[in-house]
Amino acid sequence: MSSLTNKRILLGITGGIAAYKSAELVRRLKERGADVRVIMTQAAQEFITPLTLQALSGNPVHTDLLDPQAEAAMGHIELARWADLVLVAPASANFIARLSAGRGDDLLSALCLATTAPIALAPAMNQGMWHNQATQDNLTTLRARDVRLLGPAAGSQACGETGLGRMLEPEQLAKACAEQFASGLLTGKRVVITAGPTREAIDPVRYLSNHSSGKMGYALAEAAVEAGAQVVLISGPTHLPPPERVALVPVVSAQQMYDAALKHAAGCDLFIGAAAVADYRPEQVASEKIKKGVEEHTTLTLVKNPDIIAAVARLAPKPYTVGFAAESERLLEHARTKLERKTLDAVIANDISEEGIGFNSDDNAVTFIDNERSIQLDQRRKSQLARDLVALVAARLR
Ligand code: PMT
């Protein structure tokens, strides 16, 4: 069974008799490991109650755009950012028309406008409404905007007619959602990724480190696995659970990360350095805890750590090598310097002066730079950004 582990699926339910199947759909999505939140339109609530969906999803159900209480808990913009995938099932003819017109006058349509996550629709309607030219024109518009259609199926309908317009069964929809994340772009590729901080020991209880949480590197590892790669994730200390189907190599110091990286990078196709590696480490590591003295000042002598990614980029054959550049000023200029100095194939410039992105946040915004061009990727969840970066890199690998 293909997995939806850790995927955040926002299920939009619109008004149609197939809404009763959405309860089963929530269960099928959760069985595959997804975290599911539900938005219901006014009309959907005529067919099934929010309470049922709340009990099954384990999360409060969202119904109103202008409900101050609900907006305070998780507003529509947060919901839009939260989602890895927006699935509207059932998607009525009316909702399809409103989505195609770009309306934003209820919670679900406003959220579809605001999200950068992919949108999938599971249409469900009378066969005459499905075949109507207006509906077909709306679907053409939506397809051109990369909205994915799941179904409909043909068969007998609740109205007594027979034809196209039945919503796909919950299991078929859950499977299609899982496949949505499995791009196959890196099938057969060996990928090595570094993530998280390093810790440089001062004495048995103290160390030098930084605020990297590992979220970016782990998201890249998950995205690479979804894309079909065999992934080794070399990680400094983090609080994150090991991603599924990834070979995790835990390390602590920059030297350990260097040794592991050179061991695993030999013969790999793609190396991504997302770790925040300490550039320096204490020259001496005290074997006992250093005691407080009478002096007001003390000095720590530091020595340079090996540059992991630069060493990987010197391997022969060289994997396609992608570094990150975390910068607080002159972002693109400093990133390009790193691209050249470390002989990377691409660098991902990460502006760490901005609130809410970069170190230890769930979102990021970056510029992907290679020798030909630079591509700006605006703020989005690290999981989505990772998938977008994997797609960019995979296109260059091919
Ligand atoms: O982990 P998160 O909380 O999700 O945050 C993500 C992040 C901000 C840590 C990440 O996206 C990021 O920008 N990582 C690189 C951070 C950094 O320290 O960059 P740098 O400019 O110091 O290093 C440039 C590149 O060289 C990086 O690819 C780094 O992994 C690599 N490097 C640096 C030093 C060293 N000794 N060896 C290296 O391989």
Side-chain angles (χ1 to χ4, degrees), residues 4-86:
L4 283 169
T5 306
N6 296 332
K7 296 292 171 293
R8 294 169 168 189
I9 302 205
L10 196 78
L11 175 62
I13 306 178
T14 71
I17 183 62
Y20 80 92
K21 290 189 188 172
S22 305
E24 182 65 16
L25 175 57
V26 172
R27 295 190 58 207
R28 297 278 94 92
L29 293 170
K30 283 183 70 85
E31 267 170 21
R32 287 173 185 259
D35 189 359
V36 182
R37 284 182 177 268
V38 177
I39 293 185
M40 298 178 77
T41 63
Q42 207 72 47
Q45 295 167 62
E46 303 291 332
F47 292 90
I48 183 167
T49 68
L51 197 59
T52 306
L53 279 312
Q54 177 171 319
L56 290 171
S57 67
N59 285 313
V61 170
H62 305 262
T63 52
D64 290 309
L65 181 58
L66 302 175
D67 173 355
Q69 257 186 343
E71 283 284 301
M74 195 188 242
H76 68 286
I77 299 295
E78 277 101 339
L79 273 173
R81 285 201 194 123
W82 176 88
D84 287 321
L85 172 70
V86 178

Side-chain angles (χ1 to χ4, degrees), residues 9-269:
I9 302 205
L10 196 78
L11 175 62
I13 306 178
T14 71
I17 183 62
Y20 80 92
K21 290 189 188 172
S22 305
E24 182 65 16
L25 175 57
V26 172
R27 295 190 58 207
R28 297 278 94 92
L29 293 170
K30 283 183 70 85
E31 267 170 21
R32 287 173 185 259
D35 189 359
V36 182
R37 284 182 177 268
V38 177
I39 293 185
M40 298 178 77
T41 63
Q42 207 72 47
Q45 295 167 62
E46 303 291 332
F47 292 90
I48 183 167
T49 68
L51 197 59
T52 306
L53 279 312
Q54 177 171 319
L56 290 171
S57 67
N59 285 313
V61 170
H62 305 262
T63 52
D64 290 309
L65 181 58
L66 302 175
D67 173 355
Q69 257 186 343
E71 283 284 301
M74 195 188 242
H76 68 286
I77 299 295
E78 277 101 339
L79 273 173
R81 285 201 194 123
W82 176 88
D84 287 321
L85 172 70
V86 178
L87 168 66
V88 184
S92 65
N94 178 46
F95 180 75
I96 287 170
R98 294 173 58 246
L99 189 63
S100 135
R103 299 279 290 269
D105 49 3
D106 72 357
L107 181 57
L108 185 56
S109 55
L111 181 131
C112 288
L113 283 180
T115 194
T116 54
I119 300 175
L121 304 180
M125 66 195 73
N126 162 273
Q127 58 85 26
M129 292 168 85
W130 172 257
H131 289 297
N132 188 291
Q133 196 54 50
T135 303
Q136 290 304 314
D137 288 349
N138 291 331
L139 291 167
T140 305
T141 305
L142 292 174
R143 277 194 206 95
R145 286 186 209 147
D146 283 338
V147 171
R148 198 165 160 216
L149 288 187
L150 306 176
S156 64
Q157 301 200 302
C159 55
E161 295 179 15
T162 303
L164 267 177
R166 281 171 61 94
M167 187 169 95
L168 291 188
E169 292 306 318
E171 181 53 29
Q172 289 173 299
L173 288 174
K175 186 164 175 274
C177 287
E179 283 165 3
Q180 168 89 16
F181 292 102
S183 63
L185 287 170
L186 290 177
T187 300
K189 302 289 182 203
R190 283 191 50 220
V191 176
V192 179
I193 297 171
T194 65
T198 63
R199 285 182 186 169
E200 310 302 323
I202 298 171
D203 68 14
V205 293
R206 302 182 181 96
Y207 53 80
L208 298 174
S209 191
N210 59 64
H211 294 293
S212 170
S213 61
K215 288 178 188 171
M216 191 68 245
Y218 278 54
L220 282 162
E222 281 172 10
V225 163
E226 273 164 23
Q230 233 184 300
V231 179
V232 175
L233 176 63
I234 303 168
S235 174
T238 75
H239 296 291
L240 302 174
E244 279 190 2
R245 292 173 286 155
V246 163
L248 182 72
V249 181
V251 296
V252 177
S253 66
Q255 184 62 50
Q256 288 172 357
M257 191 174 272
Y258 175 88
D259 294 341
L262 287 194
K263 177 174 162 201
H264 292 282
C268 81
D269 301 287

